[in-house]
Amino acid sequence: MTSMFSIFDVSGSAVSAQTQRLNVVASNLANADAAAGPDGKAYKAREVVFTTAAMGHAATPGVAVTAVRENDAPGRRVLEPGSPQADAEGYVTYSNVNPVEEMVNMISASRSYQNNVEVMNTAKSLLLKTLQLGQ
C-alpha cells in the first residue's frame, strides 16, 4: 500500500516541476521581442534543469528543479540605425529567445503535466476501488 501512495509523491513532484517549467517558458515568450535595455544587455532565455530527488516519507525518487539557468547564446542583432537603443554600429540587440523552441517546450511541459495529473487520478481511482472491495 505504501508503494501506491508513493505514486502521488512521484507524480506530484513532476507536476510541480512542470509548473515551474511552464512559468519559465511563459517568461521567455513574454520577453521574446525585448530589446537591450540601457545597460546594453538583452533578456536571455532561461532553461529549467531537472534532477532525480528523494520525495515524501519513503524517500521515493521524484523530480526536482535544481536550477533555472540562462541560455548563453548571443542575442539577435537587427540593423535599426534610427533606434535610440542602437549601438555605435546601428544594431539593436534583442533577446536570444526562440519562440518556436519555446512553443515546443510549452507543449511538452503541458503534456507532461497532464499525464502526471492523469496518473494521480488513476491511482486515486484504484485506491477507491480497493477500499470498496474491502466493504
Side-chain angles (χ1 to χ4, degrees):
M1 193 68 131
T2 313
S3 62
M4 270 304 271
F5 289 116
S6 65
I7 291 171
F8 293 104
D9 292 333
V10 174
S11 289
S13 68
V15 164
S16 178
Q18 293 304 329
T19 298
Q20 192 163 353
R21 182 177 174 201
L22 283 167
N23 287 336
V24 168
V25 167
S27 178
N28 286 344
L29 286 171
N31 290 290
D33 289 326
D39 61 354
K41 296 179 182 175
Y43 177 86
K44 291 195 175 266
R46 288 163 175 73
E47 303 165 340
V48 177
V49 180
F50 298 115
T51 189
T52 304
M55 299 288 162
H57 59 283
T60 306
V63 181
V65 174
T66 55
V68 178
R69 65 177 179 218
E70 286 186 347
N71 183 328
D72 289 333
R76 187 172 39 100
R77 294 187 62 188
V78 178
L79 182 61
E80 295 179 14
S83 173
Q85 294 160 320
D87 61 13
E89 298 171 0
Y91 285 92
V92 176
T93 303
Y94 289 92
S95 73
N96 63 351
V97 175
N98 179 341
V100 174
E101 186 177 310
E102 293 303 323
M103 292 299 291
V104 169
N105 282 334
M106 182 179 66
I107 291 167
S108 173
S110 177
R111 287 188 178 158
S112 293
Y113 181 96
Q114 290 169 347
N115 287 340
N116 280 289
V117 168
E118 189 61 33
V119 165
M120 287 190 287
N121 284 335
T122 302
K124 180 182 111 182
S125 176
L126 289 172
L127 283 171
L128 288 173
K129 287 181 182 180
T130 302
L131 289 173
Q132 289 172 352
L133 285 174
Q135 291 179 346

